[in-house]
Amino acid sequence: MNKETYMGVDVSPLSYEEITQQLNQRIQDNQQSTIIAVNPEKIMASQTDETLRDLINGSTFQIPDGVGVLLASRLKGGEIRSRVTGVDMMGRLLQMAAEEGYRVFFYGAKEEVVSKAIDNIQDTYPSIQVAGYENGYVQDQEALIQKINDAKADIMFVALGSPKQEQWIRANKERLPVKVFQGVGGSFDVYAGHVKRAPAPFRKVGMEWLYRLATDPKRIKRQMALPKFLFRVITKK
């Protein structure tokens, strides 16, 4: 697929529907896929972290999670038309799993968070097949690998924080039957109801970052990556 590149980092210019359609086909073709969310903060960090850049570019789909990536694409005449957020991409995959009968495994977060998230997900998608789960504090990784293999999972969500979750996926994916891996950061907290998302109007116009900053001013240091990123994009010939 054609991808856009910003400061050496690839981004997939696809919509939710296009990604899920391709993923469904890749599952049918017995191909593994990985999904990573890309935002200005990660792109800026990758300028001094080659390992992070390789993790991003080595993924099958690099979704444009940050509004800064959307703005950069518009400034450069690219094809990205809307954000594809990690938490909403997870929702699309859950819906696909429920409709297609795919088995889902959840790994990461605290025990009370991941278990509550699964309870809420099962309420929303009663037909979903939960293959199993494990919290993010499990020590015996070999036992975890065996558990996932025994579960015969098709889709796996890994919530260990980035880039730890992507590193885990890259290190273990060839040992697993899973066809779709997504690193989902704090999405389990959202599905558990422990973290509230921005109201829909903020999300619709790509201003979720502003709402999050207003409710958590400590994020200002992270948000400074946005203007730095856009300046680099604008001035790069």
Side-chain angles (χ1 to χ4, degrees):
M1 82 185 69
N2 294 326
K3 297 186 179 183
E4 298 179 16
T5 303
Y6 298 97
M7 297 166 60
V9 174
D10 293 337
V11 185
S12 307
L14 302 174
S15 66
Y16 292 106
E17 291 76 15
E18 290 168 327
I19 294 172
T20 51
Q21 184 178 45
Q22 289 192 25
L23 284 170
N24 201 21
Q25 186 59 55
R26 288 174 65 87
I27 293 173
Q28 300 302 319
D29 294 340
N30 203 35
Q31 293 180 289
Q32 281 191 324
S33 305
T34 55
I35 303 166
I36 186 169
V38 180
N39 56 35
E41 184 182 2
K42 278 185 184 173
I43 294 177
M44 293 300 292
S46 74
Q47 301 309 292
T48 55
D49 187 342
E50 188 175 344
T51 300
L52 175 58
R53 187 165 65 251
D54 289 344
L55 276 173
I56 297 172
N57 290 345
S59 297
T60 314
F61 298 95
Q62 301 88 359
I63 58 175
D65 186 279
V67 66
V69 179
L70 171 61
L71 293 174
S73 183
R74 289 177 176 174
L75 287 168
K76 292 297 184 179
E79 298 181 1
I80 299 173
R81 295 292 174 261
S82 62
R83 294 174 64 209
V84 177
T85 70
V87 65
D88 288 328
M89 188 73 247
M90 180 178 172
R92 298 298 181 104
L93 293 181
L94 290 169
Q95 182 178 352
M96 180 179 76
E99 292 173 351
E100 301 292 338
Y102 296 136
R103 296 174 59 78
V104 185
F105 196 98
F106 301 80
Y107 170 43
K110 296 178 180 178
E111 175 69 23
E112 61 269 24
V113 172
V114 62
S115 59
K116 181 60 176 177
I118 292 171
D119 287 344
N120 291 342
I121 287 167
Q122 289 178 313
D123 286 343
T124 304
Y125 306 99
S127 63
I128 199 164
Q129 296 187 50
V130 175
Y133 81 91
E134 188 60 75
N135 67 56
Y137 297 87
V138 60
Q139 297 298 312
D140 192 338
Q141 287 291 303
E142 288 304 313
L144 172 62
I145 295 298
Q146 187 61 52
K147 185 175 183 178
I148 299 167
N149 274 298
D150 291 344
K152 296 180 173 58
D154 301 300
I155 297 173
M156 183 172 179
F157 299 110
V158 184
L160 301 176
S162 187
K164 184 178 179 180
Q165 59 201 18
E166 286 81 23
Q167 291 169 340
W168 188 94
I169 291 168
R170 183 169 68 175
N172 295 289
K173 64 187 179 71
E174 293 183 3
R175 305 172 61 194
L176 298 169
V178 178
K179 295 299 178 288
V180 178
F181 296 88
Q182 184 186 357
V184 295
S187 295
F188 289 2
D189 290 281
V190 175
Y191 278 94
H194 293 183
V195 173
K196 290 186 178 181
R197 296 192 65 189
F202 282 85
R203 301 201 302 269
K204 187 175 182 180
V205 297
M207 298 295 283
E208 190 168 8
W209 65 272
L210 180 60
Y211 175 85
R212 293 169 73 183
L213 179 60
T215 55
D216 184 10
K218 296 190 298 294
R219 295 178 60 88
I220 185 65
K221 186 176 180 180
R222 295 176 58 183
Q223 297 293 0
M224 287 306 296
L226 176 57
K228 292 178 182 178
F229 166 71
L230 290 176
F231 178 78
R232 291 278 295 273
V233 169
I234 292 170
T235 56
K236 182 177 176 60
K237 296 182 180 180

